[in-house]
Amino acid sequence: MTYHPKSEFMRVMMERGFLADCTDYQALDEALIQGVVPAYIGFDATAKSLHVGSLIQIMMLRWLQKTGHKPITLMGGGTTKVGDPSFRADERPLLDDAAINANIDGIKQVFAKYIDYSDAENGALMLNNAEWLDGLNYLEFLRDIGRHFSVNRMLAFESVKSRIDREQSLSFLEFNYMILQAYDFLELNRRYGCVLQMGGSDQWGNIVNGIDLTRRVLDHQIFGLTSPLLTTSDGKKMGKTADGAIWLNADMRSPYEFWQFWRNSTDADVGRFLKLYTELPVEECDRLGALEGAAINDAKIILANEITTLCHGAEAAKAAEATAREVFEKGGVGDDLPTLSLSADEIGDGISIVQLFVKSGLAGSGKEAKRLFAENGAKLNDTALSNPGQMITQDDLASPMKLSAGKKRHALVTLD
């Protein structure tokens, strides 16, 4: 649709590619002009960190605050006990309270880098839906909330329908998730005046449910806004690579590996990623994204530096770039490479080179490591390896050893 927004937030969302759909463009735009709008995104606590797949939502909250509005980061301490079935083929593993709370503590570290939680008028709130979900009385909830939901309508939602069409089991527990998420929006509106929920386009059905429930129970007008579900230009899911998720916490994915992920973006993705994940002006993003040949590599370094600076700080970005130049341009050993430190006891009389590839994270399994050898992708100190049975001794580790998987992934192995 062609809509020319009056509010800065909606303009940013549309210009930079964040906007997939909105329940009422004009009314939301008007609300954003009238004053500070509290808006939330929910994050389930299924791991100790969020990964790059969640970064588009985090950036939406950051832009919301930068344009004068109030972000609410809602942690799913309650809903994580149920698990979101949206577009999943199987049920999520259920976590206990201790695991959920540990995950929430890890995730909070990420948000603090992007969003200001001060007492300012538009200072962000960090909330946990366990606050209202844990104490629910089941019969009261069924009577007061459940009566507003049509099972026929719930079955028609694509996230549920696709599961049933494939004859994959959908537990009653998971089926309740959309009711609980709708109830979150109702409670956030009632308690904190929240009038906007944002999320990925796979959450559209859940968001609309919350808007409908709040209108029925409180007779309040609230809004929903979704972002596109991102894949890379070669069709891969955003945030996942051959060796696992690109986590946002430094203790789960080093700043160097994080930087390298963005540096390895395909040419076609550079302009789009600059708009979504950095704060460079749109015109500059377009200019950099249009570069060709060797020049696009300079744009990729700018992309990696800008995103890493936001997530891990300017020093980490600078160190990552220096390491990359050392490794790739000079064939040396960079100081900031992921490092595997082994004790003399761990090495014993010798440890196989295949084990080192697995332990350092360059291969997910011994089988994967052996495939690297077979395809001539395994290197030791920049020399190709051909024998997966080779043993490494303590003497071999008298100085740091550099392992490489292909041209772009490296790790150091040192002796404690």
Side-chain angles (χ1 to χ4, degrees):
M1 66 162 287
T2 303
Y3 178 73
H4 300 289
K6 300 172 189 171
S7 67
E8 190 184 358
F9 177 68
M10 286 293 273
R11 182 178 55 74
V12 168
M13 290 297 99
M14 295 178 87
E15 282 183 356
R16 301 188 79 96
F18 285 100
L19 189 56
D21 214 340
C22 180
T23 52
D24 189 333
Y25 289 86
Q26 199 158 349
L28 174 57
D29 202 22
E30 290 294 336
L32 287 158
I33 295 167
Q34 297 306 317
V36 176
V37 168
Y40 92 99
I41 298 179
F43 298 87
D44 275 346
T46 50
K48 287 185 178 172
S49 171
L50 299 173
H51 62 63
V52 161
S54 296
L55 198 50
I56 188 169
Q57 272 79 47
I58 296 172
M59 290 300 292
M60 288 167 83
L61 290 170
R62 183 176 170 87
W63 278 113
L64 182 86
Q65 190 168 49
K66 280 173 74 77
T67 55
H69 303 286
K70 189 178 188 71
I72 298 173
T73 45
L74 180 67
M75 301 310 304
T79 38
T80 301
K81 295 170 187 171
V82 175
D84 184 358
S86 296
F87 301 99
R88 286 182 63 86
D90 52 5
E91 194 168 342
R92 290 181 187 273
L94 297 180
L95 304 175
D96 61 19
D97 284 349
I100 290 170
N101 289 333
N103 288 347
I104 288 173
D105 287 341
I107 291 169
K108 281 179 179 176
Q109 296 169 26
V110 173
F111 287 119
K113 297 170 186 174
Y114 288 89
I115 301 162
D116 171 26
Y117 288 91
S118 72
D119 293 333
E121 187 186 6
N122 70 329
L125 294 176
M126 171 75 73
L127 303 175
N128 185 336
N129 64 12
E131 181 185 328
W132 50 83
L133 293 182
D134 277 5
L136 282 180
N137 177 302
Y138 186 59
L139 290 178
E140 279 181 23
F141 185 72
L142 283 180
R143 184 192 63 204
D144 297 342
I145 303 300
R147 67 191 178 88
H148 294 294
F149 286 83
S150 156
V151 170
N152 306 49
R153 187 159 173 258
M154 290 164 77
L155 288 170
F157 280 117
E158 189 57 37
S159 57
V160 173
K161 190 170 174 291
S162 60
R163 188 96 158 250
I164 292 169
D165 287 347
R166 294 195 303 268
E167 297 184 0
Q168 288 162 333
S169 171
L170 179 74
S171 72
F172 181 67
L173 180 70
E174 293 176 287
F175 194 57
N176 274 273
Y177 183 91
M178 63 179 78
I179 300 179
L180 294 177
Q181 187 172 324
Y183 185 65
D184 280 347
F185 203 173
L186 169 68
E187 283 297 324
L188 285 169
N189 180 255
R190 180 155 46 198
R191 295 172 185 230
Y192 301 97
C194 181
V195 295
L196 171 63
Q197 182 184 356
M198 302 187 291
S201 55
D202 60 338
Q203 295 299 314
W204 180 256
N206 290 332
I207 292 171
V208 169
N209 271 334
I211 292 170
D212 190 45
L213 177 66
T214 306
R215 182 182 54 77
R216 289 168 183 264
V217 175
L218 300 177
D219 196 27
H220 289 176
Q221 183 183 25
I222 56 177
F223 307 97
L225 184 153
T226 59
S227 61
L229 284 184
L230 278 194
T231 55
T232 56
S233 59
D234 51 4
K236 289 177 184 160
K237 194 172 180 183
M238 196 64 200
K240 297 287 180 79
T241 66
D243 62 331
I246 304 299
W247 301 105
L248 302 180
N249 286 33
D251 59 343
M252 291 179 68
R253 180 67 76 162
S254 75
Y256 170 76
E257 291 175 294
F258 181 82
W259 187 94
Q260 198 63 52
F261 170 78
W262 297 104
R263 169 62 183 81
N264 292 340
S265 298
T266 59
D267 296 0
D269 286 327
V270 173
R272 182 172 58 138
F273 287 176
L274 282 163
K275 286 181 193 171
L276 290 170
Y277 300 117
T278 82
E279 293 172 342
L280 293 176
V282 171
E283 300 75 24
E284 178 67 357
C285 297
D286 286 334
R287 184 189 73 79
L288 290 168
L291 294 173
E292 295 178 354
I296 193 71
N297 290 327
D298 295 332
K300 290 178 186 181
I301 288 171
I302 292 170
L303 173 73
N305 283 340
E306 291 287 327
I307 302 177
T308 305
T309 296
L310 278 175
C311 190
H312 297 295
E315 286 302 313
K318 201 183 296 180
E321 184 183 356
T323 294
R325 291 192 187 284
E326 176 77 14
V327 171
F328 297 112
E329 294 177 9
K330 302 174 189 172
V333 174
D335 295 335
D336 200 36
L337 282 180
T339 300
L340 169 67
S341 295
L342 296 174
S343 66
D345 288 343
E346 285 177 287
I347 297 168
D349 295 331
I351 185 168
S352 80
I353 192 77
V354 162
Q355 276 184 281
L356 291 184
F357 270 84
V358 174
K359 282 178 176 286
S360 65
L362 292 177
S365 64
K367 188 176 179 182
E368 191 182 310
K370 286 173 184 172
R371 192 182 310 125
L372 265 177
F373 278 76
E375 295 170 354
N376 299 317
K379 288 183 180 177
L380 170 58
N381 294 333
D382 298 317
T383 302
L385 291 163
S386 58
N387 176 19
Q390 181 178 337
M391 299 299 288
I392 302 299
T393 65
Q394 293 179 42
D395 290 343
D396 294 324
L397 286 167
S399 57
M401 175 183 287
K402 182 175 126 188
L403 299 179
S404 303
K407 293 180 181 177
K408 296 179 178 177
R409 293 170 51 233
H410 310 270
L412 289 183
V413 184
T414 61
L415 181 62
D416 276 348

